Amino acid sequence: MDFRNLNKITWNDWYPIPLVTNLLDQLGSMKVYTKLNLHAGYYNVCITAGHKWKTAFQTCYGSFEFLVMPMGLTNAPTTFQALMNHIFQDMTDIFIVIYLDDILIFSDSLEDHRVHV
């Protein structure tokens, strides 16, 4: 799917994507880690009501609109990062770091880690 025309007229959301080096600095002397990869997470973000028409496309089977955020949109990564930071706001930088679709849960002990996960 080619979103070049839609991306040209889209207002860019400049939500800051964290630097990996800053995220790694937070890990310090932690001993137990769990990594979650939400590789399909982008497809769980719904298109805002009233904006689905912007993603319309035509095929030989008819016209269709995306109901969830398709990859290739200008703001897809920043929108997903903002959503993840909002969902995990009470845990972020305490025992979770988030980088786009990757979540790293870290703890000092196995007992704490079970609670965190």
Side-chain angles (χ1 to χ4, degrees):
M1 173 106 305
D2 185 12
F3 291 108
R4 281 182 281 190
N5 290 334
L6 180 56
N7 285 338
K8 285 179 188 176
I9 62 169
T10 299
W11 172 77
N12 288 323
D13 183 8
W14 297 107
Y15 189 85
I17 300 295
L19 295 174
V20 174
T21 53
N22 292 350
L23 296 176
L24 294 176
D25 287 343
Q26 296 177 32
L27 302 180
S29 62
M30 298 300 158
K31 297 179 177 99
V32 186
Y33 303 93
T34 298
K35 179 185 176 255
L36 305 173
N37 187 347
L38 305 175
H39 63 276
Y42 290 93
Y43 301 111
N44 292 317
V45 180
C46 295
I47 298 288
T48 303
H51 292 267
K52 292 176 185 153
W53 65 271
K54 296 176 183 178
T55 64
F57 60 97
Q58 183 75 30
T59 70
C60 60
Y61 303 108
S63 296
F64 299 92
E65 296 174 345
F66 277 92
L67 302 177
V68 295
M69 182 173 55
M71 290 306 296
L73 287 180
T74 296
N75 293 328
T78 56
T79 298
F80 191 72
Q81 182 73 47
L83 177 65
M84 290 295 99
N85 287 345
H86 176 72
I87 290 171
F88 295 105
Q89 66 187 354
D90 58 333
M91 298 174 243
T92 302
D93 300 331
I94 298 170
F95 58 86
I96 289 180
V97 292
I98 302 168
Y99 185 77
L100 297 174
D101 64 347
D102 293 317
I103 297 175
L104 182 66
I105 304 167
F106 56 91
S107 307
D108 195 32
S109 69
L110 190 56
E111 295 79 29
D112 288 344
H113 197 69
R114 286 187 179 121
V115 172
H116 294 161
V117 172

